[in-house]
Amino acid sequence: MKIVVVGDALVSSATLIDAAKQINFPDKGEVQIKTFEWFSDLKKEQFQEKILLIEKNGPEAVDIPAGILEEIVDADYLLVHIAPVSKKMIEAAQQLKLIGTCRGGLEHLALESIKAKNIPLIHVIRNAEPVADFTIGLMYAETRNIARAHNAIKNGEWRKGFSNDPYKTVLANHTVGLLGLGYIGKLVVKRLNGLGVKVIAYDPFVDMAKIKAEGLDVTLHDLNTVVSQADILSLHMRLSPETENMINKDIINQMKPGSYIINTARAGVLHKGDLIEALQNKRIAGAALDVSWVEPIEPGDPLLSLDNITLTTHIAGDTIDAIPRAPYLLKTVLNDYFRTGVSDMLIKL
């Protein structure tokens, strides 16, 4: 059995190898692990530039590790963090039985090529808990003007009035609507349940019986119902051709005047121009975004002139333990998959 492991600047190959040795692969016999590095020597800020290239343009937009095409030919398993799994790599692989990636986003993977070869793909939401926490934090920050008050004080102003004053209330008086009820979405529901907040959701791919079996108090509706009933619309869907610019003028115009948009998913699911227009015209009360269409946000961007938006620097999942422990989370998920043959983390392509 041959395993190809690709480390990077955030998840070392040594950690991936250690996790791999704890995986109960169904194959028997001698184990060979071939290791590669993908810009592992870059500092975090420099490596972030590579990540942004992948997130915007996919795995073909960056270099793959030298020599990997030759080694992947007879590999049985491929384990990566965010290193690209390109079309050439998949085409070269002759007996790949599974790909494991220890992150939630799939932009670094040539999904069509993986689908064409019917290779099982397992991922893990390594920062699901931090993102869920941060999502709740943005709800408080935007609806209660926490960041705006702080910014005013720093600029010498003791500000007491805000554009959302007609709508201010406690979180428990809001109905939160989630678009996407995957792993992160369910963690957000769990937190909102604990806070006594009514939760509704839209996700055409979830099994409501399974959601209920997990003890989550959430009601599924069609998209238009969720959008029109939610006081806070929180986005948790993957970016795909089907979801790109999904939240546009038509959707926003169905929202309540006192409602908010929270986005800790991907910027591309939200139509930038339509959001800016809605905020400028006070069509909705506000928005909070941890993701942007261009990162860093460029000087002069219309987002920076808005007084009814909270912006953060794509840090929702950035905690000291989320990324380092990701290979071990992948290990646990793979062991369950090999034992049972099923997994919520198996991507349906």
Side-chain angles (χ1 to χ4, degrees):
M1 178 183 69
K2 182 176 180 180
I3 306 170
V4 170
V5 165
V6 187
D8 58 47
L10 298 180
V11 173
S12 70
S13 57
T15 304
L16 277 167
I17 291 170
D18 185 57
K21 290 178 179 178
Q22 300 175 46
I23 297 173
N24 301 319
F25 292 100
D27 307 65
K28 306 298 180 183
E30 183 180 351
V31 177
Q32 177 189 4
I33 300 179
K34 184 66 180 180
T35 304
F36 290 92
E37 303 294 338
W38 189 67
F39 295 109
S40 297
D41 57 338
L42 291 184
K43 294 182 178 179
K44 185 176 181 179
E45 294 77 12
Q46 296 171 309
F47 189 67
Q48 187 64 34
E49 296 175 6
K50 303 295 181 182
I51 294 177
L52 289 175
L53 279 174
I54 281 187
E55 289 184 343
K56 290 177 63 176
N57 304 304
E60 317 305 324
V62 293
D63 295 332
I64 60 176
I68 198 168
L69 292 179
E70 293 75 17
E71 291 294 342
I72 206 169
V73 171
D74 59 346
D76 298 290
Y77 299 96
L78 173 61
L79 303 179
V80 305
H81 169 230
I82 197 173
V85 180
S86 68
K87 181 179 179 180
K88 285 185 178 180
M89 289 170 60
I90 299 302
E91 289 176 345
Q94 299 300 309
Q95 59 187 47
L96 207 54
K97 298 173 183 175
L98 181 140
I99 298 170
T101 178
C102 47
R103 70 186 301 265
L106 305 176
E107 301 90 346
H108 59 304
L109 306 167
L111 296 177
E112 289 301 318
S113 298
I114 295 170
K115 179 181 179 180
K117 282 200 170 183
N118 198 29
I119 302 171
L121 171 61
I122 295 280
H123 76 148
V124 296
I125 316 295
R126 55 167 162 68
N127 53 7
E129 294 277 354
V131 172
D133 284 348
F134 202 89
T135 300
I136 303 299
L138 286 181
M139 291 180 187
Y140 279 117
E142 178 56 30
T143 62
R144 298 300 305 279
N145 304 297
I146 296 171
R148 277 186 284 278
H150 169 79
N151 185 63
I153 293 172
K154 297 278 283 188
N155 285 286
E157 180 185 359
W158 194 256
R159 187 176 178 185
K160 301 286 283 186
F162 303 92
S163 65
N164 66 344
D165 282 350
Y167 311 109
K168 283 190 301 188
T169 185
V170 297
L171 190 61
N173 286 341
H174 290 298
T175 293
V176 175
L178 304 185
L179 300 188
L181 204 54
Y183 192 40
I184 293 175
K186 289 190 289 186
L187 289 174
V188 173
V189 172
K190 183 178 179 181
R191 285 156 171 75
L192 291 171
N193 287 167
L195 293 167
V197 180
K198 180 181 177 182
V199 188
I200 58 178
Y202 167 73
D203 191 324
F205 303 106
V206 302
D207 182 348
M208 193 60 211
K210 188 173 182 180
I211 295 295
K212 291 297 184 184
E214 293 180 37
L216 298 175
D217 185 6
V218 55
T219 306
L220 286 178
H221 295 283
D222 62 80
L223 176 61
N224 292 336
T225 298
V226 171
V227 169
S228 61
Q229 291 187 3
D231 299 297
I232 299 174
L233 192 65
S234 192
L235 311 183
H236 300 283
M237 59 282 225
R238 275 176 33 192
L239 178 60
S240 68
E242 292 73 30
T243 63
E244 187 171 10
N245 291 323
M246 177 179 172
I247 310 306
N248 54 30
K249 182 180 296 186
D250 293 337
I251 294 294
I252 294 172
N253 284 341
Q254 296 180 53
M255 298 176 66
K256 299 177 182 180
S259 59
Y260 303 85
I261 293 174
I262 309 293
N263 191 10
T264 54
R266 288 286 184 262
V269 303
L270 186 56
H271 190 288
K272 181 180 181 181
D274 290 353
L275 174 68
I276 290 173
E277 181 180 358
L279 293 173
Q280 288 174 336
N281 297 331
K282 308 297 173 61
R283 175 63 190 78
I284 59 175
L289 314 178
D290 183 53
V291 288
S292 181
W293 296 264
V294 176
E295 296 183 8
I297 297 175
E298 297 174 331
D301 191 300
L303 291 169
L304 301 178
S305 64
L306 295 169
D307 189 43
N308 50 357
I309 194 168
T310 299
L311 301 170
T312 54
T313 54
H314 205 159
I315 55 173
D318 190 6
T319 60
I320 60 170
D321 52 354
I323 294 178
R325 65 183 288 268
Y328 299 103
L329 181 58
L330 179 62
K331 174 260 299 183
T332 300
V333 169
L334 285 176
N335 281 339
D336 287 343
Y337 174 68
F338 289 137
R339 179 175 55 84
T340 65
V342 296
S343 175
D344 288 342
M345 298 291 99
L346 178 66
I347 299 297
K348 297 175 177 63
L349 298 174

